[in-house]
Structure formats: structure tokens, C-alpha cells
Amino acid sequence: MDEKTILSSTYDNLPLTSTHWGTYRVEAVDGKVTALHPFGADSDPSPIGTGIVDVLDSPARIKMPMVRKSWLEHGPGTATDKRGQEPFVQVSWDEAETLVASELSRVKTDFGNKAIFGGSYGWASAGRFHHAQSQLHRFLNCIGGYTRSVNTYSYAAAEVILPHVLGNFGGMMYGQTSLESVANSTELFVSFGGFPARNCQIASGGTGDHSQVGLMQKARQRGAEFISVSPIRSDMLERVDAEWLAARPGSDTAILLALAHCLLAENLHDTDFLARYSSGFDAFAAYVTGQSDGVPKSAEWAASLSDIPAATIRTLARRMASSRTMLSVSWSLTRQDHGEQPYWAAITLATMLGQIGLPGGGVGFGYGATNSVGMQRQMLNFAALPQGKNAVDDFIPVARISDMLLNPETDFVYDGGRYTYPDIRLVYWAGGNPFHHHQDLQRLVSAWQKPETVIVHEWCWNTLAKHADIILPCTTHLERPDIMLNPRDPFIVMMEQVVPPVGEARNDYDIFANIARHMKVEDSFTEGRDMHAWQEWMYETSRDMAAEKGVALPDLDSLKQKGWVKIDVPDKPHIMIEDFIDDPVVNPLNTASGKIEIVSQTIANFDDDMNCSPHAIWREPSEWLGNADDKFSLHLISNQPQTKLHSQLDHGSHSRAGKINQREPVTMHPDDAAARGLHDGDLVQVFNDRGICLGVLVVSDDVRPDVVQMATGAWLDPMMTADGKLLCKHGNPNVLTHDLGTSKMTQGPAALSCLVEVTKYNDAPPSMTAFDPPEIITR
Ligand SMILES: Nc1nc2c(c(=O)[nH]1)N[C@H]1C(S)=C(S)[C@@H](COP(=O)(O)OP(=O)(O)OC[C@H]3O[C@@H](n4cnc5c(=O)[nH]c(N)nc54)[C@H](O)[C@@H]3O)O[C@H]1N2
Ligand SMILES: Nc1nc2c(c(=O)[nH]1)N[C@H]1C(S)=C(S)[C@@H](COP(=O)(O)OP(=O)(O)OC[C@H]3O[C@@H](n4cnc5c(=O)[nH]c(N)nc54)[C@H](O)[C@@H]3O)O[C@H]1N2
Ligand SMILES: [Mo]
């Protein structure tokens, strides 16, 4: 804990709210929010939350239901190419609900429920009840179901590979060896992709205390050493004095294989551990030594692929074998071509080191990605809004949305199976912003023209809202009561309604309840409960669940009185799959062999055209610096933004303060800037064959040569160039990224495999319109 620790403060009497970026005390005057203050129990509060104050009630706020003009005048499917450009007509709630209900009924009757896409991927808000996707999915299930999406943009490739190798995904991701264990016991923390302090500001579902950075610092003070393999120096938090290995992006699997090669060559691998806990090592070893394919995966081999000297790799392997080592792989490694391979290779290497199950040793997935990863806590489960049953079986891997819309009734493969894309007529989105999160946005813009109707719940005029046919304005966390009830955090917080809803905004729940009434399914949607009754049900059910695990939570009235509670944290640091390590026969993993699968026979049995290898292997990414023939010679890293969560609050004061002349910074190494005659502060265009993105140049040796960095999150501000390319005036890097799946097996997003070029933008700078509302027609 650093000096910022405040155990009580002058704000203790103000109402509480919780967000994905932390818990705050809210100050309001005359029904307007004037400030958000740190929560006294938060040792390292994030400033991100303050960004909402000036935009809660600003011109970018959606205050009434609206319908795109030609959709309203001529019906579904009209001028879908005008989405994002046409004016909206303001309508009453009753008119909007009637339109939505009759359009859903039409699509159901004419095409069946599978023609409704309710994937609605994204983060929405932190309260347990007003979780927009849970509301949407429950509602759509009440009317007969919807085509869903599986997995995330965060780590889709890991979600597919981990069940094969370690038996499940969620348990591994949120049952990792805790950072307390790292702080107490790790001697060498080897990180691929860093431990970026900026990302620990975030916790999906909310948090009470930002503790992770403090724990890393504690490990350092105890004497732990840190190595960061990453294209960006600041990916490892500064306070731990890490040694930086500035590897070529996309080369991690090669380095991991070479580390395995060194262990084998010097007989440093733990053969007893391998025999007792894993299956398939011999076939992997034959691949690593080159016995099976003629290519030894030696340090020299990896050096030419990664730009990390062979001697450095060899020394690292020896240090890893002789220290208590935590091998940490970031989630970002999964968001690139063959993103499953670095994870499989890392698990294999950690198995060879034989430290899985020991305090501070083994492998970790995404330490530092959020405040929840490696959080020491009671392993509890809490109640969530029941989803009902989806009567439709169709699904897509989440990042295949453009493929689905553009190629209805065609086949795709995923995790060894064969499936067909449904023919989608209606898209319903509540929570999440595909015009932020998806790759190759020009392709998405075309795909988005396919459905006849797009219905969106949003609170602000972001790019998604502007691309809707029917937009229904929802409340924010400050305008409704809720509970922060996050099983991955020791705090529970009663979130208060601080101000009345702005304009005619309504809670997602009430919007769905009213549409459900029009569609005669109100009883099954609400079960006779209003929001308060549901929240009480959620809390009381969760309290019972906790009691079953021996954890006593206060009753609801006491909780309301204090506002928050912190559940006691167990003294003994949590260790991943400790029970399996204790006794692999009694507590086998949920894999085909019950052991760690260095070779997966299940994957080996997949059809040949699925192009899957039975163990971790090196595959050259489709786009990377290793391909000297590519006409674009800079690797673009589009990582998480410091000043916001994705696109949320991009229009707020905190995010705007991080921009330069209203646009996003693009960071480039001094050598690359000099070679191009570029200077700090230049307005530049980042481009490739897919699109163009404007930004302002920052010259810094924080990035390695040949790499440029541009954070995600800027609201797409589109402009078409004379030759028909999508240009973002503001700085959304997803106009540049490609829309290919990570692999035929995992089908995740691969945004981080992306090459670009950067030149000065010599035309007159186009004016910024990202935060302007569309033209609105009132009747
Ligand atoms: N190039 C590139 N692209 C990436 C990534 C990358 O690293 N590089 N990262 C990817 C990752 S990891 C992720 S998780 C995604 C994130 O992508 P998203 O999760 O889609 O991004 P957000 O901006 O958080 O979208 C949340 C939306 O929900 C809305 N919202 C908030 N509260 C409510 C509510 O109560 N009700 C309703 N109806 N709406 C609400 C917000 O206004 C916002 O528009 O982006 C992915 N895209
Ligand atoms: N402030 C803030 N925090 C966030 C979020 C946010 O939007 N804002 N989003 C949250 C979400 S949804 C997620 S999923 C997590 C994501 O957590 P991460 O995936 O860890 O986050 P990123 O910032 O995308 O990537 C971390 C770093 O990986 C490095 N990297 C990229 N490619 C490679 C590579 O090929 N090899 C190696 N070794 N390194 C590489 C980049 O330099 C990058 O800065 O962050 C969460 N935290
Ligand atoms: Mo994510």
C-alpha cells in the first residue's frame, strides 16, 4: 500500500457508486453530479471515473428514443447503407416500444428466432443487476431465443486451448496463484507481455481496492527479479526495475520453445514432474530438438525470429531453472495470429520447470491485465440474473461477426467442429460497442448493412448508437441503484442512485419489461419483481451461497446502512491447481488424460483441413516484422488505453486530457521517426491496405524500433477517402487491423498481428466530429 492509503476521509458520508474502474463517493448538487471522490478503502484509486462528470448530461447524451429517418418512414431494411449518416427522428417511448415489439415479432415469424443476433459482446456497467447483456439475453430467451456468441475479445484463443490442456478455462483464469504468493515467494518473475499498471485500474464487475501494483512492489522489495519480454518498455510497471527484452511482436512462441530447448539440452527439465503430471512430453521433445521436423528450436533459431540474442535466451533458461520462477503470459498474446500457441507453449515450459503448484512458481495468465487477476480472496460464487433457456442452438465465435453477416448459410470450423453461419435479419445490442472492439472496421461497416434492423440501447452518441435504426436511451450507474457483487473481489458495495435519469433515459430492465409486455411475455421476464425485488433476491441468494461456504455476509439492511463490506481474505495465499499437484489420481484435471496435456490426442484427432497441431508449435504470423517482403514495415500495437476502459468515457474530461490536439497519440521510436523525417507533434496518418487512421506523433524510445503504438478506445470518426478507404479522423486503430481468426481452431480476434506505415498528413486536418450528436428531428 502506498502513501495514498486513506482509511477514512471527508467524503465518507457521500453516496457510493462502483464501476469497472473502482468505487467512488459521489458529490451532487441540485440533482447534478459535480465530482467523484476516491473511496476511503481504495489504496490506489483510479482517476478514470471522474471522466463521467461533464458528460452525464451533455449534448452527447441520448435523452429520448430515436429512429433512423428512412427506417421510420419506409420500414425495416430501408437504405441500410445510410446507417451512421442519416438523421434520427425523436419518438415517444410508447411508439419506440411498439416498433421494437412488432419488428421482433415480424422477424421471429418470418425467419425464426435464429435470425436475431443477440451476441451483444462488451463490457457495459459494473452493477450486478443492471448488467445489460444479462438483461438482453433473459429478454430474448423469453421470446424464443437468439443466435449467441461464444468467448471474448480478451482471450478467445485461451478459452479454446485451456480446456484441452488444463481441463477448464475459468477456473484457471480466476483461480490463479495469487499475487500474495508472488509477493511472498517468487524469485524470478518472467513476463511475456508485461504487467502494465494502467490495466490494473480495471476490474470487470467492479473493485473496492486497487491492490495489485502494491503487491508487485512488495515482491521487488523482497528481492524478486523481473524480466519483461515485450515490444514496449512501460508494459512492465516501472517500480520493479525489470530487465527489458524488446522482442519482435508475435515471436513469443519461438522464445518459449527455445527456452524449452535449452532446458532439454542442459538436462534442466524436471522429468519426475513431467511423468507424474503431464502426458505427451516425448513427442513435444522430438519437435523441440528437431528430431521430428529437422529444425532444432534452439536459442539461435529463436534469436533470428525474435531479435533476442541467443546467449540471453540461454541464460534466461538457466535462471528460470535455478530460481522459484513465475512465468506470466499476458492476455494480449492471445489476440494475435495463432494466439493459442504461446499459451500452450508457456504451460508446457512451466511443466518442464516443475514448479506448478509451488508458492510463487508455475504459470500465470494475464497478471496485471485487470485488478482481479491473482486477487487473493475467498473463492465464492454469487447469484446473477437468471438467463432462462435459449431455444436456439446457433452461435458464432464472438469475433466472427462480420463473417457471419457477410456470409449467411456458409460453413465455418471452430474447436474441431463444423457449423453454419445463420442468416441474421435483426441485430439487438445492449452493452458493448462493436465499432470500438471489432477489427477491420471498414469490413464491419459493410457487414452492418446486411441486417434489416439494428436495435441498440446506449446512453451516449458513440459510433454504435449512430449506426442503429432504433436507439433506446438507457441510464448510467449514477442514475439507478445496484449492488457491486463481484465474486472476484472481496468488497461488496451498495451502489446508490445519486441523480434522476437524464432526459427520458430508462433502465435496461424497464425497457425490456415494457417491450415484454407488448409481446405478452412480461410475467416470464419480470417474474413479478421490480428492480428492488430482484436486487434483494440476488443479494439474499448470494448470502445463502456464501453461508454454504462458511462465509457470513451481513443482512441487506446492515449492508445498506454501512454501504459496503469487505469479506475476510484467507491467510494462506491461493495456489493454482494445488489439489491436483497434491494428488493427481484423486484430483485429476478435467482433460482427456486427467493430466496436463503437452500433447492433446483430442486435437490430434481433428480433421486434417483444420490445420491443428497436437502440441504447441511455432507458426509464423500472417503479418509480422519477420516477413521482410511485406510492403508495410512497422508493427502496430493497439493496446489498452490508460485514460479509459475501451471506448467508455472517451468523450469525458479525463480521456480528452490524454489526447493531443483532440487526436490520439501514436508512439514511435526515434530511429523510425528520423528515417521518415517525422517529428514529435506531427499530425500523421497510420495506414495499410485496409484503412487510414490519423493521430499525433509522440517520439519515444519506450517502444522498440519498428513498432508503433496506438491505444484502442477513440470513438471512430469516419471519413471516406477519394479512393474508397475508411479513414478515422480521431484515432481508432481498428480501421487498420485485420479480421482473420486467430486460427481455424480458436477463431478469436487477432488485432495485434498488424503491419502499417506512417507518414505525415499533409492535407488540411479534417474537423473532429466523433463527439457530436447526429442530426435530430423533433416532431
Ligand atoms: N485493436 C484492438 N481491438 C480490441 C482490443 C485490442 O487490444 N486491440 N481489445 C479487445 C478487448 S480485450 C475487448 S474486451 C473489447 C472491448 O470492447 P467493448 O466491451 O465493446 O468496449 P466498451 O467501450 O467497454 O463498450 C461498452 C459499451 O457499453 C455501454 N454501456 C455502459 N453501461 C451500459 C448500460 O448500463 N447499458 C447499456 N445498454 N449500455 C451500457 C457503453 O456506453 C459502451 O458503449 O475490445 C477489443 N478490441
Ligand atoms: N486502463 C485500461 N485497463 C484495461 C482495459 C482498458 O480498456 N483500459 N481493458 C481491460 C481488458 S477488457 C482486457 S482484456 C485487459 C487486456 O490486458 P492485456 O492484453 O495485457 O493488455 P494490452 O494493453 O492490450 O497488452 C499488454 C501489452 O502486450 C504487449 N504485446 C502486444 N503484442 C505482443 C507480443 O506479440 N508479444 C509480447 N511479448 N507482448 C506483446 C503490448 O506492448 C501491450 O502493451 O486489459 C484490461 N485493462
Ligand atoms: Mo478484454
Side-chain angles (χ1 to χ4, degrees):
M1 309 264 144
D2 52 26
E3 64 282 0
K4 275 196 218 147
T5 305
I6 332 158
L7 287 171
S8 72
S9 76
T10 45
Y11 306 118
D12 279 356
N13 293 325
L14 295 178
L16 281 166
T17 196
S18 285
T19 65
H20 300 300
W21 33 96
T23 296
Y24 301 87
R25 298 276 177 186
V26 189
E27 197 173 313
V29 179
D30 297 334
K32 300 263 178 217
V33 172
T34 50
L36 264 64
H37 299 286
F39 172 48
D42 194 341
S43 58
D44 194 8
S46 162
I48 290 179
T50 58
I52 197 166
V53 176
D54 62 325
V55 289
L56 199 57
D57 182 2
S58 74
R61 184 70 195 259
I62 308 169
K63 293 180 183 149
M64 288 280 290
M66 316 251 171
V67 183
R68 182 169 65 87
K69 186 165 176 287
S70 47
W71 194 100
L72 185 66
E73 289 170 353
H74 306 290
T78 307
T80 57
D81 58 329
K82 296 256 168 56
R83 285 190 183 121
Q85 299 160 45
E86 260 194 275
F88 282 85
V89 181
Q90 195 166 298
V91 298
S92 70
W93 269 110
D94 191 54
E95 192 176 355
E97 286 157 15
T98 310
L99 285 173
V100 170
S102 65
E103 177 57 1
L104 284 167
S105 303
R106 179 189 77 88
V107 172
K108 259 170 70 78
T109 310
D110 292 357
F111 306 103
N113 278 72
K114 68 188 261 189
I116 300 171
F117 182 65
S120 191
Y121 177 81
W123 271 57
S125 297
R128 189 79 167 171
F129 175 69
H130 293 290
H131 179 247
Q133 286 86 355
S134 305
Q135 299 284 350
L136 171 65
H137 295 156
R138 178 179 170 87
F139 166 76
L140 290 176
N141 285 340
C142 288
I143 66 162
Y146 63 98
T147 292
R148 68 190 202 282
S149 62
V150 298
N151 303 335
T152 62
Y153 278 72
S154 309
Y155 36 50
E159 287 169 279
V160 179
I161 194 69
L162 255 63
H164 293 292
V165 180
L166 288 179
N168 83 24
F169 171 78
M172 300 304 155
M173 201 53 110
Y174 290 103
Q176 314 214 31
T177 298
S178 72
L179 279 175
E180 263 80 356
S181 181
V182 170
N184 294 340
S185 310
T186 302
E187 291 167 344
L188 183 63
F189 189 95
V190 181
S191 154
F192 287 76
F195 189 108
R198 65 168 188 280
N199 290 4
C200 307
Q201 294 177 96
I202 303 301
S204 173
T207 188
D209 178 24
H210 291 88
S211 54
Q212 310 302 68
V213 168
L215 288 165
M216 290 288 275
Q217 200 175 6
K218 193 172 152 198
R220 175 67 192 146
Q221 281 159 356
R222 187 185 39 77
E225 295 185 326
F226 292 79
I227 307 243
S228 178
V229 181
S230 199
I232 300 181
R233 187 198 315 266
S234 59
D235 278 339
M236 183 53 88
L237 71 124
E238 219 180 309
R239 308 176 197 176
V240 299
D241 312 316
E243 182 183 335
W244 180 30
L245 304 183
R248 205 180 254 173
S251 67
D252 305 271
T253 303
I255 301 171
L256 290 160
L257 292 170
L259 291 166
H261 186 275
C262 298
L263 295 183
L264 263 170
E266 300 186 15
N267 214 4
L268 296 173
H269 56 303
D270 187 334
T271 48
D272 291 344
F273 189 92
L274 283 162
R276 192 163 146 85
Y277 297 109
S278 73
S279 66
F281 178 66
D282 291 347
F284 174 77
Y287 166 75
V288 167
T289 56
Q291 200 188 318
S292 58
D293 68 349
V295 183
K297 312 303 171 302
S298 65
E300 285 72 18
W301 168 83
S304 68
L305 295 167
S306 66
D307 287 346
I308 303 299
T312 307
I313 296 175
R314 229 177 259 116
T315 310
L316 179 58
R318 292 177 194 134
R319 277 177 77 188
M320 289 175 83
S322 62
S323 316
R324 178 59 56 84
T325 298
M326 178 55 82
L327 173 58
S328 165
V329 276
S330 70
W331 294 350
S332 59
L333 299 190
T334 66
R335 293 196 300 280
Q336 52 175 286
D337 291 351
H338 305 293
E340 65 283 350
Q341 298 305 328
Y343 268 48
W344 206 351
I347 295 165
T348 304
L349 180 65
T351 310
M352 291 173 72
L353 289 167
Q355 300 185 21
I356 297 173
L358 295 180
V363 61
F365 311 113
Y367 286 125
T370 71
N371 190 51
S372 316
V373 180
M375 170 78 85
Q376 174 77 7
R377 63 184 200 284
Q378 296 277 0
M379 294 292 162
L380 298 177
N381 241 325
F382 292 143
L385 185 70
Q387 301 288 284
K389 197 173 155 12
N390 189 348
V392 173
D393 290 332
D394 296 69
F395 74 94
I396 57 161
V398 68
R400 301 279 54 81
I401 180 170
S402 294
D403 282 356
M404 169 187 72
L405 295 174
L406 291 167
N407 308 300
E409 309 293 355
T410 64
D411 294 343
F412 67 95
V413 295
Y414 164 74
D415 198 11
R418 290 182 195 281
Y419 307 91
T420 305
Y421 289 125
D423 186 358
I424 297 299
R425 304 294 170 136
L426 186 151
V427 170
Y428 205 136
W429 220 286
N433 178 1
F435 290 89
H436 159 262
H437 65 233
H438 196 56
Q439 286 57 64
D440 196 347
L441 287 174
Q442 182 156 10
R443 188 164 186 256
L444 180 71
V445 168
S446 332
W448 203 252
Q449 297 172 7
K450 288 281 173 172
E452 288 150 24
T453 298
V454 176
I455 305 168
V456 172
H457 297 192
E458 254 298 345
W459 67 276
C460 52
W461 280 118
N462 61 17
T463 323
L464 170 66
K466 289 177 186 165
H467 281 79
D469 294 324
I470 304 179
I471 176 90
L472 304 176
C474 64
T475 51
T476 68
H477 59 99
L478 296 170
E479 299 152 345
R480 60 198 183 203
D482 210 336
I483 314 179
M484 187 201 108
L485 194 60
N486 179 0
R488 300 189 285 254
D489 200 84
F491 285 81
I492 297 175
V493 179
M494 293 304 296
M495 302 164 58
E496 287 185 55
Q497 176 176 347
V498 187
V499 289
V502 170
E504 292 195 15
R506 289 186 182 170
N507 301 330
D508 292 295
Y509 180 70
D510 299 311
I511 300 173
F512 286 125
N514 285 337
I515 301 167
R517 178 155 34 74
H518 283 271
M519 298 184 78
K520 315 241 175 318
V521 293
E522 188 184 12
D523 289 349
S524 54
F525 180 71
T526 66
E527 293 180 38
R529 293 190 177 109
D530 65 5
M531 120 182 114
H532 300 288
W534 271 115
Q535 288 172 10
E536 189 175 331
W537 174 86
M538 268 182 179
Y539 184 72
E540 291 302 344
T541 311
S542 302
R543 198 166 160 239
D544 292 344
M545 291 162 84
E548 268 171 38
K549 294 243 173 121
V551 174
L553 298 182
D555 62 46
L556 190 57
D557 285 337
S558 324
L559 179 62
K560 278 183 178 159
Q561 227 158 30
K562 189 179 174 203
W564 60 278
V565 63
K566 184 178 181 198
I567 302 167
D568 285 342
V569 170
D571 291 334
K572 187 180 158 298
H574 184 76
I575 308 286
M576 186 170 88
I577 57 172
E578 197 175 20
D579 56 343
F580 165 71
I581 299 296
D582 281 349
D583 192 332
V585 178
V586 175
N587 309 308
L589 295 179
N590 191 26
T591 56
S593 62
K595 295 181 173 187
I596 300 170
E597 301 224 326
I598 291 176
V599 163
S600 163
Q601 205 45 56
T602 310
I603 295 176
N605 292 341
F606 288 171
D607 292 348
D608 288 347
D609 67 325
M610 294 181 185
N611 196 22
C612 297
S613 153
H615 53 69
I617 60 163
W618 164 250
R619 286 178 198 252
E620 193 167 312
S622 63
E623 270 186 45
W624 79 309
L625 295 170
N627 183 1
D629 299 338
D630 208 292
K631 59 181 168 175
F632 302 106
S633 57
L634 296 167
H635 191 114
L636 173 70
I637 299 291
S638 51
N639 53 2
Q640 312 304 309
Q642 164 82 33
T643 54
K644 55 189 167 268
L645 173 67
H646 314 132
S647 69
Q648 299 197 50
L649 301 180
D650 187 37
H651 57 323
S653 55
H654 184 62
S655 172
R656 287 200 322 271
K659 299 185 194 268
I660 310 174
N661 295 332
Q662 300 182 289
R663 291 179 224 270
E664 284 296 314
V666 184
T667 307
M668 179 184 268
H669 190 272
D671 294 351
D672 293 319
R676 289 166 179 76
L678 296 173
H679 303 281
D680 211 73
D682 282 350
L683 178 64
V684 292
Q685 51 178 355
V686 186
F687 65 96
N688 58 22
D689 286 337
R690 291 178 288 268
I692 306 169
C693 185
L694 301 191
V696 177
L697 198 73
V698 173
V699 178
S700 163
D701 64 3
D702 189 44
V703 299
R704 60 156 263 161
D706 304 331
V707 163
V708 286
Q709 177 271 341
M710 198 169 189
T712 51
W715 288 6
L716 178 71
D717 199 355
M719 182 175 112
M720 289 313 278
T721 63
D723 58 347
K725 259 201 210 170
L726 180 63
L727 176 150
C728 178
K729 298 185 272 179
H730 182 197
N732 183 329
N734 275 324
V735 297
L736 303 162
T737 53
H738 73 63
D739 190 16
L740 302 172
T742 41
S743 66
K744 285 189 173 178
M745 177 165 128
T746 51
Q747 296 287 17
L752 292 170
S753 297
C754 181
L755 293 180
V756 296
E757 189 45 80
V758 180
T759 57
K760 203 162 170 184
Y761 188 73
N762 289 319
D763 296 351
S767 66
M768 281 272 310
T769 50
F771 303 142
D772 298 345
E775 184 189 335
I776 292 167
I777 300 168
T778 50
R779 296 187 298 200

